[in-house]
Amino acid sequence: MGDGETPDVAEERALVHAKRAAIEQSGSYLESYTEVVGQKLTKDEIRVISAGLVKVEVVEKTISIQEKGGINFGVKIKAVVNTDNMMSMVSRMRDRSMTDKYNEVQQKYDSLQKEHLSDLNSQQVEKRVNNEKQWLSNYWLDTGMAHYLRKEYDEAILAAKKSNMLNRNNSTFAAQIWQVSLDIAG
């Protein structure tokens, strides 16, 4: 399971990997393309296609925790692969424009996935920072209340100000302490 990935996504990814492995074991088509201009190699491509209709039955799902705290999702499947449409996939592969379009779509998908993961990570960091601010604000609020109850008004005001700087929602308590201290001083 990767960073920013939910257990459902990791489990689905394990299933996709198992399906791909089943198709690849059922047979692959390999094509090599080499372009030479003026005795100089300009392009050398190897393309592999594994295609088929897959009927899958999930036999077993596993979740394990690694020593370093990572989580592994595994899936064991029973797959029946029908490779009857292999030749139609080969003819599509030979149409380079279709292959180029596929590569372009794959690159866009990868880019969008990276952006999405980056956004998720940013949201998680922001949430952690806000949670820490809230915790610190509540800590200073509790500290201020303890000083107030011991009639240590200067310390109570200082703690209330610190709480208020971290969380403006605690400002009513800070105002109350300030008013009480003014009443006592006056």
Side-chain angles (χ1 to χ4, degrees):
M1 188 166 110
D3 291 341
E5 197 172 50
T6 65
D8 290 337
V9 171
E11 190 174 314
E12 185 65 28
R13 192 179 299 247
L15 182 59
V16 167
H17 284 296
K19 288 178 184 178
R20 185 175 65 219
I23 288 175
E24 288 173 353
Q25 288 179 13
S26 69
S28 297
Y29 174 81
L30 178 70
E31 180 179 270
S32 175
Y33 173 75
T34 303
E35 184 178 87
V36 178
V37 175
Q39 296 184 357
K40 185 175 182 181
L41 179 68
T42 58
K43 196 173 213 178
D44 192 19
E45 292 181 4
I46 297 176
R47 296 180 184 197
V48 178
I49 285 188
S50 296
L53 296 174
V54 182
K55 181 180 177 186
V56 175
E57 176 186 338
V58 176
V59 176
E60 178 183 353
K61 291 181 180 182
T62 59
I63 300 173
S64 60
I65 298 175
Q66 297 175 331
E67 290 179 19
K68 295 182 180 180
I71 300 174
N72 283 336
F73 286 85
V75 64
K76 185 177 188 180
I77 64 170
K78 180 180 177 183
V80 177
V81 180
N82 181 347
T83 59
D84 289 344
N85 66 345
M86 178 67 88
M87 291 316 292
S88 68
M89 288 299 292
V90 168
S91 65
R92 286 184 190 165
M93 187 176 95
R94 287 189 175 150
D95 178 11
R96 296 217 183 273
S97 64
M98 180 68 103
T99 305
D100 293 340
K101 286 179 185 176
Y102 172 77
N103 288 336
E104 183 181 329
V105 168
Q106 185 66 39
Q107 287 173 352
K108 285 182 181 178
Y109 173 78
D110 290 343
S111 175
L112 288 173
Q113 188 176 24
K114 286 177 185 176
E115 287 177 25
H116 179 67
L117 288 175
S118 176
D119 289 346
L120 283 176
N121 287 337
S122 296
Q123 290 171 3
Q124 288 174 344
V125 168
E126 184 177 331
K127 188 175 182 179
R128 283 187 205 139
V129 168
N130 287 337
N131 286 344
E132 286 187 24
K133 279 185 176 181
Q134 181 66 41
W135 185 88
L136 280 172
S137 174
N138 289 340
Y139 168 79
W140 285 112
L141 191 62
D142 292 345
T143 301
M145 183 59 81
H147 285 300
Y148 175 75
L149 293 174
R150 290 190 303 262
K151 297 184 181 182
E152 299 167 345
Y153 300 114
D154 290 337
E155 289 86 355
I157 291 170
L158 184 63
K161 285 180 180 179
K162 288 180 181 179
S163 174
N164 188 36
M165 286 173 48
L166 292 166
N167 182 359
R168 300 291 179 191
N169 294 332
N170 292 339
S171 61
T172 54
F173 173 70
Q176 290 172 346
I177 290 179
W178 182 258
Q179 186 59 46
V180 168
S181 66
L182 287 176
D183 291 344
I184 291 172

